[in-house]
Amino acid sequence: MGASPSWWDGPVLTALRSPRRLRTEVLGGLVVALALIPEAISFSIIAGVDPRVGLFASFTMAVTIAFTGGRPAMISAATGAVALVIAPVAREHGIDYLVATVLLAGVFQIALSVAGVARLMRFIPRSVMVGFVNALAILIFLAQLPHLIGVGWLVYPMVAVALAVLVLLPKLTTAVPAPLVVIVGLTAVTMAFSLDVPNVGDEGALPESLPTLGLPAVPWNLETLRVIAPFALAMALVGLLESLMTAKLVDDITDTHSDKTREGWGQGVANVVTGFFGGMGGCAMIGQTMINVKVSGARTRISTLLAGVFLLALVVGLGGLVAQIPMAALVAVMVMVAVGTVDWHSLAPKTLRHMPIAETTVMLVTVGVTVATHNLAYGVVVGVLVAMVAFAHRVAHFTEVVPVRAEDDVRVYQVRGELFFASSNDLVYQFDYVGDPEHVVLDLSSSHIWDASTVAALDAIVTKYAGKGKRVEIIGLNDASEARRALLSEHSGPR
């Protein structure tokens, strides 16, 4: 029919028919759900709202995106980046305005995705992508430090044991995900020996009831729109950027292609649904996605759906038990996720020696800005801008002006290379306006005109020669360059 694949197509049906594959998906979803709980609570605190707002948002985001998203096995939930963007709304205007902001952000994401914003992903260079991944690993690790500083001494041997299990168990068996073994095992030991260590319950109160459907109690007028629109647009852009970057990362890990446009509007739908249930909204969670895809080996929408279902079941139905999970277990899991996320090849001395300085600079700038702002979107935007400048600088040096023939009454110059603002600004200084004969020919058969800056530079050359009583003939333009010059030039003939 030409429509997007349904939820039940292909890999989902294959997983449902394979007990081994289904077990991987189920256990992957369970591990993600357990790891989501403290993070959702932490992000709620950042946003200045009740922990239930973040937990319910994680549930509705995960379940909705399992059906609407374009990247199977990717996890979406409440995130720190979104929390930072919308925190001022909750602080200055209250929870209802925050929910209204989430609803509008979802609408913006749907509109932007339908308009084709996902196609802009092709303009993100690999060096930015590598910087994005390495910065993500650093942020994941830094987020664990508060749970390792100023805590009882028992936390440290527990983390050490957990890390040892996470490293060694997969070498012996992959029947059960190592993170699940760590979480269950350390929880059992903590409860059996009544160990006094920080646990999930210390992060905030868990909900005791299901989320309810409703609308925010805000005036539905232009003044409300004026207040929430800037934050909603910022949230939409940050959410789309992080989600699409994460989808591309999962594409690379799994060697499969995803529908980025569907992922974009799917994120919008998920945020709208989350807003109707009073959640704080969110986007793709890179750390949890790495747990699901890289650590647990999940590959289908089943794991994403079950992550949301398990999350709600755990916090509502088994809240008392979940609250006893020691933070040491979750910290160890996330530390291993951080280690596994780093692109170690990009940091190897051999790679750094052979990599062009501009590429390494772009990667380091992306990492630096991201870590400094704790915002992946800022890092990517600045990284892309630096990459654009580096590319323009590099390409500008490929342009040259070569005198190819000089006779008594004519001088021929051949212009070679791509002509755009960075390469054409110095073009006007490459000619001998005084010494050349009365007839000058510019041969552009080995070049291409890309912008108005180049047309203006050619006009300046013609004007300078005309001031000396000399005539310039421009030849060899291809059709596109000729059309652009005819449209923009002051010397292209009668109008």
Side-chain angles (χ1 to χ4, degrees), residues 56-70:
F56 287 157
S58 296
F59 160 67
T60 53
M61 287 292 299
V63 170
T64 306
I65 206 68
F67 292 92
T68 63

Side-chain angles (χ1 to χ4, degrees), residues 59-265:
F59 160 67
T60 53
M61 287 292 299
V63 170
T64 306
I65 206 68
F67 292 92
T68 63
R71 175 63 262 178
M74 193 165 79
I75 305 298
S76 292
T79 62
V82 167
L84 287 170
V85 171
I86 61 176
V89 182
R91 184 171 58 249
E92 297 171 16
H93 302 283
I95 183 64
D96 286 305
Y97 276 83
L98 180 144
V99 172
T101 302
V102 172
L103 289 168
L104 183 58
V107 173
F108 280 153
Q109 288 180 324
I110 295 170
L112 289 169
S113 300
V114 171
V117 71
R119 288 193 290 270
L120 297 177
M121 284 296 294
R122 71 184 68 179
F123 297 111
I124 297 179
R126 173 160 178 77
S127 52
V128 174
M129 191 70 188
V130 172
F132 171 83
V133 169
N134 290 337
L136 163 67
I138 294 172
L139 289 181
I140 292 174
F141 179 78
L142 291 177
Q144 311 315 309
L145 294 183
H147 303 294
L148 295 172
I149 298 174
V151 295
W153 68 271
L154 273 175
V155 170
Y156 302 109
M158 291 179 72
V159 171
V161 170
L163 289 173
V165 172
L166 290 168
V167 171
L168 299 176
L169 183 61
K171 299 180 185 298
L172 302 176
T173 179
T174 57
V176 181
L180 184 60
V181 173
V182 166
I183 293 170
V184 173
L186 287 187
T187 302
V189 169
T190 300
M191 295 179 68
F193 293 96
S194 301
L195 300 180
D196 184 17
V197 292
N199 56 35
V200 170
D202 297 330
E203 298 297 302
L206 299 178
E208 299 177 353
S209 60
L210 297 175
T212 55
L213 191 64
L215 287 173
V218 297
W220 296 90
N221 54 30
L222 289 177
E223 177 59 24
T224 299
L225 183 63
R226 184 192 65 78
V227 170
I228 68 174
F231 296 100
L233 182 59
M235 174 183 164
L237 293 174
V238 168
L240 281 177
L241 183 57
E242 291 211 18
S243 298
L244 295 177
M245 290 287 284
T246 305
K248 190 173 187 302
L249 180 61
V250 177
D251 288 352
D252 293 341
I253 293 172
T254 60
D255 292 322
T256 57
H257 179 69
S258 60
D259 187 339
K260 305 297 189 301
T261 297
R262 176 176 172 177
E263 181 61 39
W265 64 254

